[in-house]
Amino acid sequence: MADQFNLSEGGANHQKPKGKDDTMTTAQGHPVADDQNWLTAGERGPQLLEDHIAREKIFHFDHERIPERVVHARGYGVHGHFKLTRAIPEYSSAQIFNEEGAETPTFTRFSTVAGNKGSPDLARDVRGFATKFYTPQGNWDLVGNNIPVFFIQDAIKFPDLIHAAKPAPDRGFPQAQTAHDNFWDFISLSPEAMHMVMWIMSDRAIPRSFRFMEGFGVHTFRLVNAEGKSHFVKFHWKPKLGLQSVVWNEALKVNGMDPDFHRRDMWDAIDAGDFPQWELGIQVFDDDFAEEFEFDILDATKIIPEEQVPVEIIGTLTLDANVDNFFAETEQVAFCTQNIVPGIDFTDDPLLQGRNFSYLDTQLKRLGGPNFTHIPINAPKCPVRHFQQDGQMAMHNPKGRANYEPNSWGSGDGSKEDRGPRASQERGFTSYEAPVEGPKIRRRGETFADHYSQARQFYISQTPIEQTHMANALTFELSKVERMDIRTRMVGHLRHIDGDLAQEVADGIGLDKLPEKVPLAREPITDLPESPALSILKNGPGSFKGRKLGIYIAEGGDAEVVSALKSAAKDVGAMVEIIAPHVAGAKLSDGKMMEADEKIDGGPSVVYDAVAVVMGEDSAKRFAKDKPSIDFINDAFAHAKFTAYVPAVRALLTGAGVWDRRDDGFIDVSSGKTAAKDFIETCGKLRFWERENVKQD
Ligand code: HDE
């Protein structure tokens, strides 16, 4: 391993400096005498090209960037491990699924899809959830999303989808958002996208944190056991901390305040030893179920409701280490859907099959050659033996004479005359012998033709609050679309999904009458039952664990109340940050200075899950007209956050216009410990949704 000054160990003959030598060198190992001044002819003379030290430095700098990912450019990677809690030899022969208690190292990269590398974290978008398992049988990459379905059914449509979503080619905007003509034009001409549209217009597309999202393998894969018997499988990641999203207005503000909100959240949690965990679940089913199921199991725009095939939990993923170097790990990690191990196999899902070509191809472009598996983050952690050789940046070069097979050299003893590796029927990967026949055609099967039934099922499975958020999101996005015909075409689709939703959106965008329904390829099923598993609010954590309380203090604030809030939050495993008018903090009622984590205008309430305001009466009066203080309270109110307060802050709450509007989401904690405990317990509901003006369940 290179040391912290990046003094690479170089080749085998490299002489390590004796003792502690921190002399800077060039990449060629030449010691550097002056790293601040280019070699010139005289003090004010021209720079000399002869300066190999300066030229090497600039040359390397000029080549620091590699192409960003075409999609999922903005991402954040973390190390972890997967522990198998239930062996499943009946389904799969994969070693990773057979030794109960065994731990497999992992690297997981979360991402947004549409934005570029520097785009804000809280864009309304799908989140990538890609995990590389370094198994004893080679790397298995489960390259999924936080949404279990996709926009399209066939990989050939992917470039169009992405072109339509990304900035328009003429103007180069808008960045990291779908609220524009090109996206909705494409979508409204692609009925197969309607189920996915319901998901991206739901709060799933604005998660509070990577830690509070589900993950899905999306496609139907196969598990194959030692006898060669195959079952179909869908993979699920279930966050132990429960699901949670933000509200749209909050997302917009968070992006301004902290574009790194999600990556910072992950870094901070891991840094604090608060390791996020997910359970790996599988939905397993056989050919008979596949036959009977209402939809085609090869269609990636469909789910299999958990109520129909339960998710069986088989292991736990724990993310427990941040990267040492963002570029080396997060940027260079190369996921490939075709990386599977014996015991797992593909199906003929036409989206998956296209991906299996695409990912290898993309890595060649991004990482510059075929040897990207030599980069430590991509290298398997099991023995690797083959006759592949050479190519750019070859790091592991075979020794000995044989570089082909069959050969008749030595007998596998590792000597110079060794014959090298041999394929093994017994241990090697064998494809499941799925029968394949049929004419070569370009035609989508009839079984892929229903585009609205599950879109409707998703919508009716949401709580009224979530349904309102979806209608609002559709209204917001379509209001950004300039062409009237695109807006109305979308409402023509919504009419097949839910009449009320279509009406709400039509009202929202000001249509006087509902447009015609778009023509159907196939009559939808309108009586699919609700699936509670699809709602975020029905699957909340019921605890404030892993969440963040922001306590806004100022001079004279009741020290006992602050300390009671802090310990009540810590007791349930929540984080606390102190916000004050100055970053130095504030003197509380006990005369002691309490340090602040944030100054008020750098610590707005949008970055906290719940807030508290604890000040002396004079301070509250002083800040009653202070804009950042008013925003702090107003936003918390507008985003339905629980707010703890002491009566001494009345002037400030009055200044913010909320004193007379206090509802059950405001909790007076002046009486101390028990009140603070009750407040934190109430915060387990995460939001006081009753404040939102919608009908309740
Ligand atoms: Fe990807 N996708 N994708 N994708 N995808 C990439 O690979 C592609 C699709 C997903 O954190 C690229 O390494 C095609 C579905 C994730 O590094 C590229 C199709 C799903 C990531 C690519 C799809 C995904 C990618 C860009 C249509 C959810 C980020 C850089 C068939 C199941 C992985 C790269 C990371 C990345 C192609 C569709 C998830 C260009 C052609 C469906 C999480 O190869």
Side-chain angles (χ1 to χ4, degrees):
M1 264 291 173
D3 73 16
Q4 60 171 321
F5 299 108
N6 201 17
L7 291 175
S8 100
E9 288 184 8
N13 299 326
H14 180 66
Q15 300 287 311
K16 282 201 184 138
K18 290 213 167 65
K20 237 186 156 199
D21 185 347
D22 61 359
T23 306
M24 179 184 280
T25 72
T26 65
Q28 303 283 357
H30 312 137
V32 174
D34 179 350
D35 186 44
Q36 305 290 315
N37 297 291
W38 197 300
L39 190 69
T40 52
E43 252 180 36
R44 301 181 59 240
Q47 290 181 327
L48 302 178
L49 277 182
E50 164 190 328
D51 189 346
H52 61 291
I53 293 174
R55 276 185 45 227
E56 185 202 75
K57 184 175 177 184
I58 299 292
F59 146 83
H60 198 277
F61 170 75
D62 290 345
H63 295 270
E64 274 178 8
R65 294 287 171 274
I66 60 174
E68 67 172 36
R69 290 164 173 83
V70 190
V71 281
H72 296 266
R74 170 95 179 155
Y76 204 62
V78 272
H79 296 274
H81 61 271
F82 170 73
K83 186 171 179 180
L84 189 72
T85 50
R86 183 191 137 195
I88 48 164
E90 66 279 27
Y91 297 140
S92 173
S93 62
Q95 210 169 320
I96 181 178
F97 291 147
N98 275 268
E99 287 165 32
E100 235 159 67
E103 292 191 359
T104 306
T106 58
F107 188 74
T108 299
R109 184 174 178 273
F110 300 99
S111 47
T112 49
V113 179
N116 69 19
K117 240 181 94 177
S119 55
D121 277 350
L122 254 167
R124 175 177 290 284
D125 200 352
V126 186
R127 298 299 182 288
F129 189 139
T131 298
K132 193 181 276 297
F133 299 77
Y134 302 92
T135 92
Q137 293 170 296
N139 292 349
W140 172 39
D141 293 355
L142 184 56
V143 197
N145 281 343
N146 75 329
I147 289 180
V149 287
F150 202 63
F151 294 95
I152 50 172
Q153 297 171 321
D154 189 315
I156 199 169
K157 287 177 69 102
F158 192 63
D160 299 298
L161 165 72
I162 298 304
H163 288 175
K166 287 218 167 215
D170 53 356
R171 59 212 67 191
F173 61 82
Q175 177 60 241
Q177 51 183 298
T178 51
H180 57 95
D181 286 67
N182 279 9
F183 179 75
W184 287 103
D185 188 25
F186 175 85
I187 289 295
S188 61
L189 293 170
S190 308
E192 70 204 72
M194 290 309 141
H195 187 192
M196 182 70 166
V197 164
M198 291 295 104
W199 285 81
I200 58 165
M201 292 297 110
S202 80
D203 297 341
R204 297 260 177 175
I206 40 173
R208 154 67 175 82
S209 151
F210 298 135
R211 296 181 296 138
F212 313 139
M213 324 185 295
E214 288 183 304
F216 304 90
V218 176
H219 312 280
T220 301
F221 290 86
R222 284 180 188 279
L223 290 178
V224 185
N225 71 15
E227 284 77 51
K229 185 164 169 34
S230 150
H231 286 87
F232 293 116
V233 64
K234 291 227 180 231
F235 293 104
H236 293 246
W237 290 117
K238 302 246 176 215
K240 283 211 173 167
L241 289 168
L243 291 170
Q244 188 186 343
S245 286
V246 299
V247 295
W248 178 235
N249 178 270
E250 194 183 2
L252 294 175
K253 290 176 176 163
V254 168
N255 280 340
M257 279 316 299
D258 186 4
D260 304 309
F261 190 60
H262 282 162
R263 54 178 61 190
R264 190 188 307 282
D265 172 89
M266 182 58 84
W267 175 276
D268 286 351
I270 292 181
D271 210 39
D274 191 1
F275 304 140
Q277 290 188 312
W278 283 260
E279 285 177 324
L280 178 66
I282 50 173
Q283 276 180 302
V284 182
F285 53 96
D286 57 16
D287 291 316
D288 291 344
F289 175 86
E291 272 308 304
E292 282 162 23
F293 186 53
E294 292 94 335
F295 308 100
D296 199 318
I297 58 130
L298 300 183
D299 175 357
T301 68
K302 303 293 182 300
I303 58 159
I304 297 180
E306 291 186 27
E307 292 77 10
Q308 234 164 318
V309 177
V311 175
E312 304 174 52
I313 302 301
I314 59 166
T316 311
L317 173 71
T318 306
L319 302 184
D320 56 6
N322 283 315
V323 296
D324 287 330
N325 183 280
F326 183 86
F327 180 83
E329 295 155 72
T330 306
E331 201 51 17
Q332 292 198 120
V333 67
F335 292 97
C336 296
T337 52
Q338 76 278 11
N339 282 354
I340 51 169
V341 294
I344 305 178
D345 210 340
F346 310 118
T347 59
D348 293 335
D349 174 340
L351 200 62
L352 174 61
Q353 295 282 335
R355 294 179 74 199
N356 287 345
F357 161 77
S358 174
Y359 288 68
L360 188 61
D361 189 45
T362 218
Q363 307 315 345
L364 190 64
K365 164 86 176 174
R366 290 196 65 239
L367 298 166
N371 289 320
F372 63 88
T373 52
H374 297 199
I375 300 171
I377 195 69
N378 295 319
K381 295 191 196 296
C382 63
V384 173
R385 309 181 199 92
H386 50 68
F387 292 119
Q388 296 168 21
Q389 66 173 32
D390 304 352
Q392 271 160 346
M393 316 286 170
M395 299 289 162
H396 307 296
N397 301 302
K399 294 193 174 128
R401 190 156 176 182
N403 61 351
Y404 59 93
E405 66 139 358
N407 71 55
S408 58
W409 294 96
S411 58
D413 60 358
S415 70
K416 270 200 160 208
E417 307 273 273
D418 186 17
R419 64 174 201 178
R422 286 289 184 273
S424 157
Q425 274 295 330
E426 204 183 305
R427 294 192 50 220
F429 181 90
T430 45
S431 291
Y432 176 68
E433 293 183 10
V436 182
E437 60 173 322
K440 281 186 201 168
I441 45 167
R442 287 185 190 274
R443 196 189 315 135
R444 203 83 52 88
E446 254 301 289
T447 52
F448 282 58
D450 175 344
H451 306 311
Y452 301 100
S453 309
Q454 285 202 342
R456 175 182 172 75
Q457 182 178 40
F458 180 78
Y459 181 72
I460 62 168
S461 302
Q462 308 300 311
T463 60
I465 295 150
E466 291 168 305
Q467 288 181 340
T468 305
H469 290 175
M470 290 169 74
N472 291 348
L474 279 157
T475 304
F476 175 90
E477 299 253 325
L478 294 178
S479 301
K480 292 274 182 193
V481 170
E482 288 164 15
R483 271 178 45 194
M484 181 61 121
D485 58 324
I486 299 176
R487 290 184 221 148
T488 45
R489 203 191 296 145
M490 254 326 287
V491 179
H493 285 288
L494 297 179
R495 291 194 62 194
H496 290 304
I497 297 172
D498 185 88
D500 290 346
L501 174 65
Q503 188 63 58
E504 258 180 84
V505 176
D507 292 346
I509 60 173
L511 296 183
D512 333 324
K513 64 177 179 43
L514 282 175
E516 288 295 300
K517 291 181 178 174
V518 294
L520 282 172
R522 185 170 171 170
E523 204 55 45
I525 309 168
T526 51
D527 61 354
L528 291 179
E530 287 180 23
S531 166
L534 302 180
S535 152
I536 295 175
L537 296 188
K538 291 177 194 165
N539 294 282
S543 147
F544 202 53
K545 185 174 171 22
R547 272 68 181 179
K548 210 183 223 180
L549 172 69
I551 311 181
Y552 184 16
I553 60 164
E555 191 150 332
D558 189 325
E560 273 179 34
V561 169
V562 175
S563 122
L565 283 169
K566 275 175 124 179
S567 52
K570 287 203 173 128
D571 284 351
V572 300
M575 290 167 264
V576 176
E577 273 188 8
I578 299 292
I579 305 113
H582 306 288
V583 73
K587 204 184 263 180
L588 297 183
S589 60
D590 58 359
K592 288 192 195 136
M593 196 68 184
M594 175 165 281
E595 247 186 68
D597 298 292
E598 294 289 354
K599 174 173 172 345
I600 180 66
D601 47 4
S605 59
V606 290
V607 299
Y608 303 106
D609 295 292
V611 295
V613 192
V614 188
M615 300 176 176
E617 219 170 302
D618 289 348
S619 304
K621 280 185 190 147
R622 225 170 85 218
F623 295 109
K625 286 196 178 133
D626 175 57
K627 194 78 177 66
S629 305
I630 291 172
D631 283 351
F632 186 89
I633 288 154
N634 273 335
D635 278 342
F637 185 79
H639 304 143
K641 285 181 186 166
F642 288 105
T643 304
Y645 72 101
V646 289
V649 302
R650 177 178 179 150
L652 175 52
L653 296 196
T654 306
V658 301
W659 180 260
D660 293 333
R661 297 161 75 197
R662 275 169 305 147
D663 49 28
D664 291 347
F666 279 85
I667 294 170
D668 179 349
V669 288
S670 53
S671 63
K673 273 192 189 150
T674 319
K677 236 179 123 204
D678 289 349
F679 171 69
I680 295 296
E681 205 180 299
T682 309
C683 288
K685 292 188 203 144
L686 301 182
R687 299 288 162 110
F688 183 65
W689 292 117
E690 292 85 339
R691 195 178 291 152
E692 287 204 353
N693 194 15
V694 286
K695 58 183 191 303
Q696 301 301 315
D697 252 339

